[in-house]
Amino acid sequence: MRTLLQTTLLLPVLLLGTAQAIAAPPERMLVFTHTAGFRHDSIPTAVATLQTLATGERMVADHSEDPGAFTAANLARYRVVVFASTTGDVLDADQQAALEGFIGRGGGFVGVHAAADTEYGWPWYGQLVGAWFKAHPPGLQDTQVQPERDGRAHGTPWPIRDELYNYRDNPRGRVQVVATVDERRYEGGSMGADHPITWCHRFGGGRSWYTGLGHDEAVYRNPQFLAQLRQGVRYAAGRAPTC
């Protein structure tokens, strides 16, 4: 049985630990949506969705259109940086160096849809994302998404209607493929029987996760897509060992 003296001595330690736990700031995620090319109407929905997912993960998601946010000092505040349908040349050389340093220090990256249609003149960025956009069939089309695990189909395919990207090359072999799409179910696919659409990899000291889905606003109400995106955020933040 504790004596009154022992309890008195222990109480400040317990209170200090509780205060430190309460005062610990939440991890933060920067959602970047600057565009220097085509601008997607779904960007506000993507931002709101990512903010909701962040809240569910007890994170805070800040949204910015300003490339000036990419400094070493500012990025040090964040655990994850998201490029949500960015397009074109969005960062200058100093800002690029800041993102490279952020990843090098163990930061996480999430790319959504047109993140693959960004920074074609920056080879490091292409390696970070995993593959660059090449083209897409016109309009929205219906197909199925087949989840993968360890290079094999895993789980039940689920339906999607979206703009379906073709990439300049197949990233398999450089990344861990999370899901593919079935080109037999729509017109205009150019990657054949193996068409990755979502993937992840460790890169440059950090972690990267990308999905080609997310053009259409309705996709952000698809529960399977939301579960996939949540896992991507968790992986990039280092909260999940697999993606």
Side-chain angles (χ1 to χ4, degrees):
M1 179 179 299
R2 285 185 183 139
T3 66
L4 179 59
L5 177 61
Q6 288 173 324
T7 302
T8 302
L9 292 173
L10 182 60
L11 184 58
V13 176
L14 294 173
L15 291 175
L16 177 61
T18 301
Q20 288 175 334
I22 293 173
E27 291 187 316
R28 305 187 78 88
M29 180 166 71
L30 176 63
V31 182
F32 183 59
T33 56
H34 185 76
T35 53
F38 182 83
R39 187 166 184 88
H40 287 76
D41 292 339
S42 61
I43 284 177
T45 302
V47 172
T49 300
L50 286 159
Q51 288 174 330
T52 298
L53 290 179
T55 299
E57 291 298 317
R58 298 182 181 179
M59 299 176 70
V60 174
D62 299 326
H63 172 223
S64 180
E65 291 273 340
D66 183 10
F70 286 79
T71 66
N74 189 51
L75 293 184
R77 302 168 56 222
Y78 294 100
R79 187 73 189 89
V80 178
V81 170
V82 183
F83 276 38
S85 284
T86 53
T87 52
D89 187 358
V90 294
L91 301 180
D92 67 22
D94 289 340
Q95 294 156 359
Q96 290 174 0
L99 181 58
E100 291 184 16
F102 169 78
I103 296 297
R105 290 186 293 274
F109 174 86
V110 170
V112 177
H113 193 55
D117 188 24
T118 301
E119 292 288 355
Y120 290 101
W122 183 14
W124 181 91
Y125 179 82
Q127 295 168 18
L128 172 71
V129 174
W132 268 311
F133 164 79
K134 179 180 180 182
H136 62 78
L140 305 177
Q141 295 197 57
D142 295 291
T143 188
Q144 286 189 336
V145 176
Q146 174 61 64
E148 275 196 21
R149 180 177 294 175
D150 299 326
R152 298 181 180 180
H154 177 82
T156 303
W158 42 273
I160 195 72
R161 179 175 178 81
D162 203 8
E163 182 181 82
L164 301 167
Y165 274 7
N166 297 312
Y167 298 94
R168 291 187 176 184
D169 66 347
N170 190 322
R172 190 185 295 276
R174 301 191 298 268
V175 301
Q176 177 185 339
V177 175
V178 173
T180 59
V181 289
D182 188 346
E183 288 191 359
R184 297 170 298 179
R185 294 175 175 268
Y186 69 98
E187 297 181 356
S190 66
M191 298 181 69
D194 182 25
H195 187 145
I197 199 67
T198 305
W199 56 78
C200 71
H201 63 140
R202 292 182 176 272
F203 177 76
R207 299 181 182 208
S208 172
W209 185 93
Y210 169 81
T211 181
L213 302 173
H215 172 89
D216 188 39
E217 284 185 293
V219 172
Y220 296 92
R221 297 190 294 272
N222 182 305
Q224 289 91 352
F225 173 75
L226 291 176
Q228 200 175 76
L229 185 58
R230 179 181 295 107
Q231 186 66 11
V233 169
R234 288 180 55 79
Y235 173 79
R239 297 183 174 192
T242 60
C243 54

